[in-house]
Amino acid sequence: MWNKIGLIGAMVEEVERIEERLENETVTERAGIRFREGLFCGKPVVLCKSGVGKVNAAVCTQILIDGFGVDAVIFTGVAGALDPSLDIGDIVISTDCQQHDMDVTPLGFPRGTIPYADSSVFAADASLIALAAEASEKLEQGHTVQGRVLSGDQFIADRNTVKLLHEELGGACTEMEGAAVAQVCAMNGTPYVVIRSMSDKADGSAHVNFAEFTVKAADRSFRIVEHMVRSM
């Protein structure tokens, strides 16, 4: 079913563990992004560091689909918790993704709605969600939830914004790429899932704990992706 898997992270910390384990690697650069094609856990993958933000993530995803013919896309990395039950190191597996900074409310559209589009919320693939959940359970990585990943070109660090995004848009966590990956995958009919480990509480304390916990959080999401790929 899965002939080639696209693996994306936004930052070095989110992809370096996979990169270290790639075999038979070839590197191609397109649009300033390095795509590393090889074997990971014995499976054909294309790994890339997209860079931060929705535009980078969208470009990267489209190249993976058009240029490398991937059958599925897995985005791995860290995020800020919106769900108050989540703590640093906990895992969110995307049920769907939405852009929280798509805001055309002055024209009467609900926040997060892409004007005149068929959809503004993009569902993750059920089989990939199940694989991620199974991996997290087997690895006993603490608290894991399945929920909505909200994305925007903003680093959220305000308690009031956290409350709004959780209550108004139903977000479990917030980051800066997932919804762009999700929309591109939806437009191309490509299955995807986003796996995020919480590096901070998105509550104003990020300057204290983000750098400290990013590497640890990224390692947790890496181990889930590793287990998923072995099972695919």
Side-chain angles (χ1 to χ4, degrees), residues 77-84 86-87 90-100 145-152 156 162 165-166 169-179 194-202:
V78 301
L82 297 174
D83 184 336
L86 291 171
D87 206 345
D90 289 344
I91 298 291
V92 173
I93 301 167
S94 65
T95 52
D96 54 34
C97 295
Q98 185 177 17
Q99 298 178 60
H100 68 74
V145 302
Q146 297 178 25
R148 176 165 297 167
V149 173
L150 295 180
S151 306
I156 303 301
V162 167
L165 294 180
H166 179 59
L169 294 181
C173 68
T174 180
E175 36 86 298
M176 301 175 75
E177 296 85 24
V194 175
I195 300 162
R196 293 288 192 175
S197 181
M198 303 303 101
S199 60
D200 63 270
K201 299 278 285 183

CSV table of all heavy atoms in Angstrom, one decimal, residues 77-84 86-87 90-100 145-152 156 162 165-166 169-179 194-202:
chain,number,residue,atom,x,y,z
A,77,GLY,N,7.3,16.5,14.5
A,77,GLY,CA,8.0,17.7,15.2
A,77,GLY,C,7.3,18.1,16.5
A,77,GLY,O,6.7,17.3,17.1
A,78,VAL,N,7.5,19.3,16.9
A,78,VAL,CA,7.1,19.8,18.1
A,78,VAL,C,6.0,20.8,18.0
A,78,VAL,O,5.8,21.4,16.9
A,78,VAL,CB,8.2,20.4,19.0
A,78,VAL,CG1,9.3,19.4,19.2
A,78,VAL,CG2,8.8,21.6,18.3
A,79,ALA,N,5.2,21.1,19.0
A,79,ALA,CA,4.1,22.1,19.0
A,79,ALA,C,3.9,22.6,20.4
A,79,ALA,O,4.4,22.1,21.4
A,79,ALA,CB,2.9,21.4,18.5
A,80,GLY,N,3.1,23.6,20.4
A,80,GLY,CA,2.6,24.2,21.7
A,80,GLY,C,1.3,23.7,22.1
A,80,GLY,O,0.3,23.6,21.2
A,81,ALA,N,1.1,23.3,23.3
A,81,ALA,CA,-0.2,22.7,23.8
A,81,ALA,C,-1.2,23.7,23.9
A,81,ALA,O,-1.0,24.8,24.4
A,81,ALA,CB,0.0,22.0,25.1
A,82,LEU,N,-2.4,23.4,23.4
A,82,LEU,CA,-3.6,24.2,23.6
A,82,LEU,C,-4.6,23.5,24.6
A,82,LEU,O,-5.2,24.2,25.4
A,82,LEU,CB,-4.4,24.5,22.3
A,82,LEU,CG,-3.6,25.3,21.2
A,82,LEU,CD1,-4.4,25.3,19.9
A,82,LEU,CD2,-3.3,26.7,21.7
A,83,ASP,N,-4.7,22.2,24.5
A,83,ASP,CA,-5.5,21.4,25.4
A,83,ASP,C,-4.9,21.5,26.8
A,83,ASP,O,-3.8,21.1,26.9
A,83,ASP,CB,-5.6,20.0,24.8
A,83,ASP,CG,-6.5,19.1,25.7
A,83,ASP,OD1,-6.8,19.4,26.8
A,83,ASP,OD2,-7.0,18.1,25.1
A,84,PRO,N,-5.7,22.0,27.8
A,84,PRO,CA,-5.1,22.1,29.1
A,84,PRO,C,-4.7,20.8,29.7
A,84,PRO,O,-3.9,20.8,30.7
A,84,PRO,CB,-6.2,22.8,29.9
A,84,PRO,CG,-7.4,22.6,29.1
A,84,PRO,CD,-7.0,22.5,27.7
A,86,LEU,N,-2.8,18.6,28.3
A,86,LEU,CA,-1.5,18.3,27.7
A,86,LEU,C,-0.4,18.9,28.5
A,86,LEU,O,-0.5,20.1,28.9
A,86,LEU,CB,-1.5,18.6,26.3
A,86,LEU,CG,-2.4,17.9,25.3
A,86,LEU,CD1,-2.3,18.5,23.9
A,86,LEU,CD2,-1.9,16.4,25.2
A,87,ASP,N,0.7,18.2,28.7
A,87,ASP,CA,1.9,18.7,29.3
A,87,ASP,C,3.0,18.5,28.3
A,87,ASP,O,2.9,17.9,27.3
A,87,ASP,CB,2.1,18.0,30.6
A,87,ASP,CG,2.9,18.8,31.6
A,87,ASP,OD1,3.5,19.9,31.1
A,87,ASP,OD2,3.0,18.5,32.8
A,90,ASP,N,3.9,15.4,25.9
A,90,ASP,CA,2.8,14.6,25.5
A,90,ASP,C,2.6,14.7,23.9
A,90,ASP,O,3.2,15.6,23.3
A,90,ASP,CB,1.5,15.2,26.1
A,90,ASP,CG,1.4,14.9,27.6
A,90,ASP,OD1,2.2,14.0,28.0
A,90,ASP,OD2,0.6,15.5,28.3
A,91,ILE,N,1.9,13.8,23.4
A,91,ILE,CA,1.8,13.6,21.9
A,91,ILE,C,0.4,14.0,21.4
A,91,ILE,O,-0.6,13.6,22.0
A,91,ILE,CB,2.1,12.2,21.5
A,91,ILE,CG1,3.6,11.8,21.9
A,91,ILE,CG2,1.9,12.0,20.0
A,91,ILE,CD1,4.7,12.5,21.1
A,92,VAL,N,0.4,14.7,20.3
A,92,VAL,CA,-0.9,14.9,19.6
A,92,VAL,C,-0.8,14.3,18.2
A,92,VAL,O,0.2,14.6,17.5
A,92,VAL,CB,-1.2,16.4,19.5
A,92,VAL,CG1,-2.5,16.6,18.5
A,92,VAL,CG2,-1.5,17.1,20.8
A,93,ILE,N,-1.7,13.4,17.9
A,93,ILE,CA,-1.9,12.8,16.6
A,93,ILE,C,-3.0,13.5,15.9
A,93,ILE,O,-4.1,13.6,16.5
A,93,ILE,CB,-2.1,11.3,16.7
A,93,ILE,CG1,-1.0,10.6,17.4
A,93,ILE,CG2,-2.3,10.7,15.3
A,93,ILE,CD1,-1.3,9.2,17.8
A,94,SER,N,-2.8,14.1,14.7
A,94,SER,CA,-3.8,14.9,14.1
A,94,SER,C,-5.0,14.1,13.6
A,94,SER,O,-4.8,13.1,13.0
A,94,SER,CB,-3.2,15.6,12.9
A,94,SER,OG,-2.9,14.7,11.9
A,95,THR,N,-6.2,14.5,14.0
A,95,THR,CA,-7.4,14.0,13.4
A,95,THR,C,-7.7,14.8,12.1
A,95,THR,O,-8.2,14.3,11.1
A,95,THR,CB,-8.6,14.1,14.3
A,95,THR,OG1,-8.7,15.4,14.8
A,95,THR,CG2,-8.5,13.1,15.5
A,96,ASP,N,-7.4,16.1,12.3
A,96,ASP,CA,-7.5,17.0,11.1
A,96,ASP,C,-6.7,18.3,11.4
A,96,ASP,O,-6.1,18.4,12.5
A,96,ASP,CB,-9.0,17.4,10.8
A,96,ASP,CG,-9.7,17.9,12.0
A,96,ASP,OD1,-9.1,18.6,12.9
A,96,ASP,OD2,-10.9,17.7,12.1
A,97,CYS,N,-6.6,19.2,10.4
A,97,CYS,CA,-5.8,20.4,10.6
A,97,CYS,C,-6.6,21.6,10.0
A,97,CYS,O,-7.3,21.4,9.1
A,97,CYS,CB,-4.5,20.3,9.9
A,97,CYS,SG,-3.3,19.1,10.5
A,98,GLN,N,-6.3,22.8,10.6
A,98,GLN,CA,-6.9,24.0,10.2
A,98,GLN,C,-6.0,25.2,10.4
A,98,GLN,O,-5.2,25.1,11.4
A,98,GLN,CB,-8.3,24.2,11.0
A,98,GLN,CG,-9.1,25.4,10.5
A,98,GLN,CD,-10.4,25.5,11.2
A,98,GLN,OE1,-10.6,24.9,12.3
A,98,GLN,NE2,-11.3,26.3,10.7
A,99,GLN,N,-6.1,26.2,9.6
A,99,GLN,CA,-5.3,27.4,9.7
A,99,GLN,C,-6.0,28.4,10.7
A,99,GLN,O,-7.1,28.9,10.4
A,99,GLN,CB,-5.1,28.1,8.4
A,99,GLN,CG,-4.4,27.3,7.4
A,99,GLN,CD,-4.3,28.1,6.1
A,99,GLN,OE1,-3.7,29.1,6.0
A,99,GLN,NE2,-4.8,27.5,5.0
A,100,HIS,N,-5.4,28.6,11.9
A,100,HIS,CA,-6.0,29.5,12.8
A,100,HIS,C,-5.8,31.0,12.4
A,100,HIS,O,-6.6,31.9,12.9
A,100,HIS,CB,-5.5,29.3,14.2
A,100,HIS,CG,-4.1,29.6,14.5
A,100,HIS,ND1,-3.6,30.9,14.6
A,100,HIS,CD2,-3.0,28.8,14.6
A,100,HIS,CE1,-2.3,30.9,14.8
A,100,HIS,NE2,-1.9,29.7,14.8
A,145,VAL,N,-3.0,12.1,22.7
A,145,VAL,CA,-4.4,12.4,22.3
A,145,VAL,C,-4.5,12.5,20.8
A,145,VAL,O,-3.5,12.8,20.1
A,145,VAL,CB,-4.9,13.7,22.9
A,145,VAL,CG1,-4.8,13.7,24.5
A,145,VAL,CG2,-4.2,14.9,22.4
A,146,GLN,N,-5.6,12.3,20.3
A,146,GLN,CA,-5.9,12.5,18.9
A,146,GLN,C,-6.8,13.8,18.8
A,146,GLN,O,-7.8,13.8,19.5
A,146,GLN,CB,-6.7,11.3,18.2
A,146,GLN,CG,-5.8,10.0,18.2
A,146,GLN,CD,-6.6,8.9,17.7
A,146,GLN,OE1,-7.5,9.0,16.8
A,146,GLN,NE2,-6.2,7.7,18.0
A,147,GLY,N,-6.4,14.7,18.0
A,147,GLY,CA,-7.1,16.0,18.0
A,147,GLY,C,-6.7,16.9,16.9
A,147,GLY,O,-5.9,16.5,16.0
A,148,ARG,N,-7.3,18.1,16.9
A,148,ARG,CA,-7.1,19.0,15.8
A,148,ARG,C,-5.8,19.8,16.0
A,148,ARG,O,-5.5,20.3,17.1
A,148,ARG,CB,-8.3,20.0,15.7
A,148,ARG,CG,-8.1,21.1,14.7
A,148,ARG,CD,-9.4,21.9,14.4
A,148,ARG,NE,-10.3,20.9,13.8
A,148,ARG,CZ,-11.6,21.2,13.7
A,148,ARG,NH1,-12.1,22.3,14.1
A,148,ARG,NH2,-12.4,20.3,13.1
A,149,VAL,N,-5.0,19.8,14.9
A,149,VAL,CA,-3.8,20.6,14.9
A,149,VAL,C,-4.1,21.9,14.2
A,149,VAL,O,-4.5,21.9,13.1
A,149,VAL,CB,-2.6,19.8,14.2
A,149,VAL,CG1,-1.4,20.7,14.0
A,149,VAL,CG2,-2.3,18.5,14.9
A,150,LEU,N,-3.8,23.0,14.9
A,150,LEU,CA,-4.0,24.3,14.3
A,150,LEU,C,-2.7,24.9,13.9
A,150,LEU,O,-1.7,24.8,14.6
A,150,LEU,CB,-4.7,25.3,15.4
A,150,LEU,CG,-6.1,24.9,15.8
A,150,LEU,CD1,-6.6,25.9,16.8
A,150,LEU,CD2,-7.0,24.8,14.6
A,151,SER,N,-2.7,25.6,12.8
A,151,SER,CA,-1.4,26.1,12.2
A,151,SER,C,-1.6,27.6,11.9
A,151,SER,O,-2.6,28.0,11.4
A,151,SER,CB,-1.0,25.4,11.0
A,151,SER,OG,-0.9,24.0,11.2
A,152,GLY,N,-0.5,28.3,12.1
A,152,GLY,CA,-0.5,29.7,11.7
A,152,GLY,C,0.9,30.2,11.7
A,152,GLY,O,1.8,29.7,12.3
A,156,ILE,N,2.6,31.2,19.1
A,156,ILE,CA,1.6,31.6,20.1
A,156,ILE,C,2.2,31.5,21.5
A,156,ILE,O,2.7,30.4,21.9
A,156,ILE,CB,0.4,30.6,20.0
A,156,ILE,CG1,-0.2,30.7,18.6
A,156,ILE,CG2,-0.7,31.0,21.1
A,156,ILE,CD1,-0.7,32.0,18.2
A,162,VAL,N,-4.4,31.2,23.6
A,162,VAL,CA,-4.5,29.7,23.8
A,162,VAL,C,-5.9,29.3,24.1
A,162,VAL,O,-6.5,28.4,23.5
A,162,VAL,CB,-3.6,29.3,25.0
A,162,VAL,CG1,-3.9,27.9,25.4
A,162,VAL,CG2,-2.1,29.4,24.5
A,165,LEU,N,-8.1,29.7,20.9
A,165,LEU,CA,-7.9,28.7,19.9
A,165,LEU,C,-8.4,27.3,20.3
A,165,LEU,O,-8.9,26.5,19.5
A,165,LEU,CB,-6.4,28.6,19.6
A,165,LEU,CG,-5.8,29.8,18.9
A,165,LEU,CD1,-4.3,29.6,18.7
A,165,LEU,CD2,-6.5,30.1,17.6
A,166,HIS,N,-8.3,27.0,21.6
A,166,HIS,CA,-8.8,25.7,22.1
A,166,HIS,C,-10.3,25.7,22.1
A,166,HIS,O,-11.0,24.7,21.7
A,166,HIS,CB,-8.3,25.5,23.5
A,166,HIS,CG,-8.8,24.2,24.1
A,166,HIS,ND1,-8.6,23.0,23.5
A,166,HIS,CD2,-9.5,23.9,25.2
A,166,HIS,CE1,-9.1,22.0,24.2
A,166,HIS,NE2,-9.7,22.6,25.3
A,169,LEU,N,-11.8,27.1,18.1
A,169,LEU,CA,-11.5,26.3,17.0
A,169,LEU,C,-11.2,24.8,17.3
A,169,LEU,O,-11.0,24.0,16.5
A,169,LEU,CB,-10.3,26.9,16.3
A,169,LEU,CG,-10.5,28.2,15.6
A,169,LEU,CD1,-9.2,28.7,14.9
A,169,LEU,CD2,-11.6,28.2,14.6
A,170,GLY,N,-11.3,24.5,18.6
A,170,GLY,CA,-11.2,23.1,19.0
A,170,GLY,C,-9.8,22.5,18.9
A,170,GLY,O,-9.6,21.3,18.7
A,171,GLY,N,-8.8,23.4,18.9
A,171,GLY,CA,-7.4,22.9,18.7
A,171,GLY,C,-6.8,22.2,19.9
A,171,GLY,O,-7.0,22.6,21.1
A,172,ALA,N,-6.1,21.1,19.7
A,172,ALA,CA,-5.4,20.4,20.7
A,172,ALA,C,-4.0,21.0,20.9
A,172,ALA,O,-3.4,21.1,22.0
A,172,ALA,CB,-5.3,18.9,20.4
A,173,CYS,N,-3.4,21.4,19.8
A,173,CYS,CA,-2.1,22.1,19.8
A,173,CYS,C,-1.9,23.0,18.6
A,173,CYS,O,-2.8,23.0,17.7
A,173,CYS,CB,-1.0,21.0,19.8
A,173,CYS,SG,-0.8,20.1,18.2
A,174,THR,N,-0.9,23.9,18.7
A,174,THR,CA,-0.7,24.8,17.7
A,174,THR,C,0.8,24.8,17.2
A,174,THR,O,1.7,24.6,18.0
A,174,THR,CB,-1.0,26.3,18.1
A,174,THR,OG1,-0.8,27.2,17.1
A,174,THR,CG2,-0.3,26.7,19.4
A,175,GLU,N,1.0,25.0,15.9
A,175,GLU,CA,2.3,25.0,15.3
A,175,GLU,C,2.2,25.8,14.0
A,175,GLU,O,1.3,26.6,13.9
A,175,GLU,CB,2.8,23.6,15.1
A,175,GLU,CG,1.7,22.5,14.7
A,175,GLU,CD,1.5,22.5,13.2
A,175,GLU,OE1,1.1,23.5,12.7
A,175,GLU,OE2,1.7,21.5,12.6
A,176,MET,N,3.2,25.6,13.1
A,176,MET,CA,3.3,26.6,12.0
A,176,MET,C,3.3,25.9,10.6
A,176,MET,O,3.6,26.6,9.6
A,176,MET,CB,4.5,27.5,12.2
A,176,MET,CG,4.5,28.3,13.5
A,176,MET,SD,6.0,29.2,13.8
A,176,MET,CE,5.8,30.6,12.7
A,177,GLU,N,3.0,24.7,10.5
A,177,GLU,CA,3.1,24.0,9.2
A,177,GLU,C,2.0,23.0,8.9
A,177,GLU,O,1.7,22.8,7.7
A,177,GLU,CB,4.5,23.2,9.1
A,177,GLU,CG,5.7,24.1,9.2
A,177,GLU,CD,6.2,24.4,10.6
A,177,GLU,OE1,5.9,23.6,11.5
A,177,GLU,OE2,6.9,25.4,10.8
A,178,GLY,N,1.5,22.3,9.9
A,178,GLY,CA,0.6,21.1,9.6
A,178,GLY,C,-0.5,21.4,8.7
A,178,GLY,O,-0.8,20.5,7.8
A,179,ALA,N,-1.3,22.5,8.9
A,179,ALA,CA,-2.4,22.7,8.1
A,179,ALA,C,-2.1,22.9,6.6
A,179,ALA,O,-2.9,22.6,5.7
A,179,ALA,CB,-3.2,23.9,8.6
A,194,VAL,N,-0.1,14.3,10.9
A,194,VAL,CA,0.8,15.1,11.7
A,194,VAL,C,1.0,14.5,13.1
A,194,VAL,O,0.0,14.3,13.7
A,194,VAL,CB,0.3,16.6,11.7
A,194,VAL,CG1,1.2,17.4,12.6
A,194,VAL,CG2,0.2,17.2,10.3
A,195,ILE,N,2.2,14.4,13.5
A,195,ILE,CA,2.5,13.9,14.8
A,195,ILE,C,3.3,14.9,15.5
A,195,ILE,O,4.5,15.3,15.1
A,195,ILE,CB,3.3,12.6,14.8
A,195,ILE,CG1,2.4,11.5,14.1
A,195,ILE,CG2,3.6,12.1,16.2
A,195,ILE,CD1,3.2,10.3,13.6
A,196,ARG,N,2.8,15.5,16.6
A,196,ARG,CA,3.5,16.6,17.3
A,196,ARG,C,3.7,16.2,18.8
A,196,ARG,O,2.8,15.7,19.5
A,196,ARG,CB,2.6,17.8,17.2
A,196,ARG,CG,2.5,18.4,15.8
A,196,ARG,CD,3.8,19.0,15.4
A,196,ARG,NE,3.7,19.9,14.2
A,196,ARG,CZ,4.7,20.6,13.7
A,196,ARG,NH1,5.9,20.6,14.2
A,196,ARG,NH2,4.5,21.3,12.6
A,197,SER,N,4.9,16.5,19.3
A,197,SER,CA,5.2,16.3,20.7
A,197,SER,C,5.2,17.7,21.3
A,197,SER,O,5.8,18.6,20.7
A,197,SER,CB,6.5,15.6,20.9
A,197,SER,OG,6.8,15.4,22.3
A,198,MET,N,4.6,17.9,22.5
A,198,MET,CA,4.5,19.2,23.1
A,198,MET,C,5.9,19.7,23.7
A,198,MET,O,6.4,19.0,24.5
A,198,MET,CB,3.5,19.2,24.2
A,198,MET,CG,2.1,18.8,23.7
A,198,MET,SD,1.4,19.8,22.3
A,198,MET,CE,1.7,18.7,20.9
A,199,SER,N,6.4,20.8,23.1
A,199,SER,CA,7.6,21.4,23.6
A,199,SER,C,7.4,22.5,24.6
A,199,SER,O,8.3,22.9,25.3
A,199,SER,CB,8.5,21.9,22.5
A,199,SER,OG,7.8,22.9,21.7
A,200,ASP,N,6.1,23.0,24.6
A,200,ASP,CA,5.8,24.1,25.5
A,200,ASP,C,4.3,24.2,25.6
A,200,ASP,O,3.6,23.5,24.9
A,200,ASP,CB,6.4,25.5,25.0
A,200,ASP,CG,5.8,25.9,23.6
A,200,ASP,OD1,6.3,25.5,22.6
A,200,ASP,OD2,4.7,26.6,23.7
A,201,LYS,N,3.9,25.0,26.5
A,201,LYS,CA,2.4,25.2,26.8
A,201,LYS,C,1.8,26.3,26.1
A,201,LYS,O,0.6,26.6,26.3
A,201,LYS,CB,2.2,25.3,28.3
A,201,LYS,CG,2.7,24.2,29.2
A,201,LYS,CD,1.7,23.0,29.2
A,201,LYS,CE,0.6,23.4,30.1
A,201,LYS,NZ,-0.4,22.2,30.3
A,202,ALA,N,2.5,27.0,25.2
A,202,ALA,CA,2.0,28.1,24.4
A,202,ALA,C,1.3,29.1,25.3
A,202,ALA,O,0.3,29.7,24.9
A,202,ALA,CB,1.0,27.6,23.4
